[in-house]
């Protein structure tokens, strides 16, 4: 008996509670390992630290991008808004190549 | 540029975080989500690289949570450190509680022979629970409970 809609709604509420990470730890670990040849061993806590750090990073970049959206008097956040936010923020310099490729 | 989706953070998770920080009626283009997905993935690589260099210089093989915090601070993200330290403390506390509860369970149902086995059993349990976190779908046991028509979650048998 399939009641996927009801259950998935309930489940998404449950995952919003503290104790569940908003980004999958296995994926984070995979990305960390791919970042360099000398990244061989990763402690259990490192992906957990990143799950929070990435959340904060996405929040910050999103807020800054939204400032650009508002300057353009729009209500849809576009790719160019993200690019503008990256250009305008020194600590996001490592992303300049990424946002200029398209 | 070919995107291999399993090398990036999942776009659904990224989109959800973006949505939560924006005003209720804000909209996000698909391309913007994709760009954010790539940026966040690059963020992990960038910070990990810095942390890994430090470990290498100090002749350490394992990149740990403190190395990541150090790298974040060095690269200009020191305003994240406070929130992360709080999050890590809460996580460690939760893990301690979970380990305590599990050892209580094994102690009540065990005799002497089983008690000898319990350290490895406990570590298996802990591995299992970490894997459940990894998979984000700790859903299966909850689904089973729901299917049985129970309104409150019970411990799996």
């Amino acid at each position: 008996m399939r009641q996927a809609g009801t259950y998935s709604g309930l489940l998404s509420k449950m995952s919003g509670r503290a104790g569940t990470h908003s980004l999958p730890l296995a994926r984070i670990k995979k990305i960390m390992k791919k970042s360099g040849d000398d990244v061989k061993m990763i402690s259990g806590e490192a992906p957990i630290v990143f799950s929070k750090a990435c959340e904060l990073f996405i929040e910050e970049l999103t807020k800054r991008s939204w400032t650009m959206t508002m300057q353009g008097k729009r209500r849809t956040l576009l790719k160019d808004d993200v690019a503008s936010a990256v250009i305008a923020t020194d600590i996001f310099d490592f992303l300049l190549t990424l946002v200029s490729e398209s | 540029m070919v995107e291999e989706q399993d090398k990036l953070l999942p776009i659904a998770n990224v989109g959800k975080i973006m949505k939560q920080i924006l005003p209720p009626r804000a909209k996000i283009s698909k391309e913007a989500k994709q760009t954010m997905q790539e940026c966040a993935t690059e963020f992990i690589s960038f910070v990990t690289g810095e942390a890994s260099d430090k470990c290498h210089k100090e002749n350490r093989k394992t990149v740990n949570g403190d190395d990541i915090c150090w790298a974040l601070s060095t690269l200009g993200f020191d305003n994240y450190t406070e929130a992360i330290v709080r999050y890590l403390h809460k996580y460690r506390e939760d893990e301690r509680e979970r380990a305590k509860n599990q050892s209580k369970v094994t102690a009540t149902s065990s005799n002497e022979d089983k008690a000898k086995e319990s350290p490895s059993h406990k570590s298996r349990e802990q591995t299992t629970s970490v894997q459940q976190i990894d998979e984000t779908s700790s859903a299966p046991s909850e689904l089973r409970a729901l299917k049985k028509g129970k309104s409150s979650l019970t411990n799996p048998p």
Side-chain angles (χ1 to χ4, degrees), chain A residues 23-61:
Chain A
L23 293 163
L25 298 179
R27 188 71 64 88
I28 292 173
K29 193 168 177 179
K30 212 177 202 175
I31 296 166
M32 287 178 75
K33 288 207 154 157
K34 286 215 156 93
S35 70
D37 284 335
D38 49 347
V39 184
K40 291 195 173 86
M41 301 205 57
I42 299 168
S43 84
E45 283 183 344
I48 290 158
V49 169
F50 262 127
S51 75
K52 190 64 184 171
C54 285
E55 197 181 303
L56 296 168
F57 168 81
I58 292 167
E59 285 177 354
E60 182 173 3
L61 184 50

Side-chain angles (χ1 to χ4, degrees), chain B residues 92-102 104:
Chain B
R92 284 171 181 164
E93 264 176 44
D94 289 347
E95 280 297 289
R96 252 180 266 138
E97 278 304 306
R98 207 173 302 166
K100 247 192 253 172
N101 291 334
Q102 281 173 348
K104 277 182 195 166

Side-chain angles (χ1 to χ4, degrees), chain B residues 45-82:
Chain B
S45 299
F46 181 55
V47 175
T48 302
E50 193 73 16
S52 168
D53 281 349
K54 179 179 202 262
C55 289
H56 197 67
K57 281 177 190 153
E58 294 174 6
N59 287 319
R60 281 185 292 114
K61 285 183 185 168
T62 308
V63 178
N64 62 37
D66 290 333
D67 295 323
I68 304 299
C69 286
W70 175 87
L72 284 166
S73 187
T74 304
L75 295 168
F77 298 98
D78 44 337
N79 53 327
Y80 295 178
T81 324
E82 204 188 304

Side-chain angles (χ1 to χ4, degrees), chain B residues 113-147:
Chain B
D113 282 333
K114 279 186 187 172
K116 282 178 194 168
E117 286 173 5
S118 62
S120 55
H121 178 64
K122 198 168 42 162
S123 60
R124 244 189 293 128
E125 281 295 310
Q126 285 176 336
T127 316
T128 315
S129 65
V130 169
Q131 280 171 354
Q132 281 182 336
I133 295 168
D134 274 357
E135 297 307 320
T136 61
S137 50
S138 50
S141 57
E142 288 158 1
L143 258 177
R144 262 185 265 126
L146 290 164
K147 276 184 181 165

Side-chain angles (χ1 to χ4, degrees), chain A residues 6-99:
Chain A
T6 321
Y7 291 147
S8 60
L10 274 164
L11 288 170
S12 62
K13 276 185 205 166
M14 285 173 187
S15 64
R17 285 192 201 151
T20 312
H21 309 283
S22 55
L23 293 163
L25 298 179
R27 188 71 64 88
I28 292 173
K29 193 168 177 179
K30 212 177 202 175
I31 296 166
M32 287 178 75
K33 288 207 154 157
K34 286 215 156 93
S35 70
D37 284 335
D38 49 347
V39 184
K40 291 195 173 86
M41 301 205 57
I42 299 168
S43 84
E45 283 183 344
I48 290 158
V49 169
F50 262 127
S51 75
K52 190 64 184 171
C54 285
E55 197 181 303
L56 296 168
F57 168 81
I58 292 167
E59 285 177 354
E60 182 173 3
L61 184 50
T62 302
K63 276 189 267 184
R64 288 173 184 273
S65 305
W66 182 250
T67 308
M68 305 298 168
T69 313
M70 287 196 294
Q71 280 177 13
K73 297 188 180 162
R74 288 175 278 106
R75 266 193 251 156
T76 303
L77 199 156
L78 303 173
K79 181 181 173 178
D80 284 348
D81 298 324
V82 180
S84 305
V86 164
I87 292 164
T89 315
D90 285 342
I91 56 169
F92 295 155
D93 278 356
F94 69 99
L95 295 167
L96 284 170
T97 321
L98 198 152
V99 297

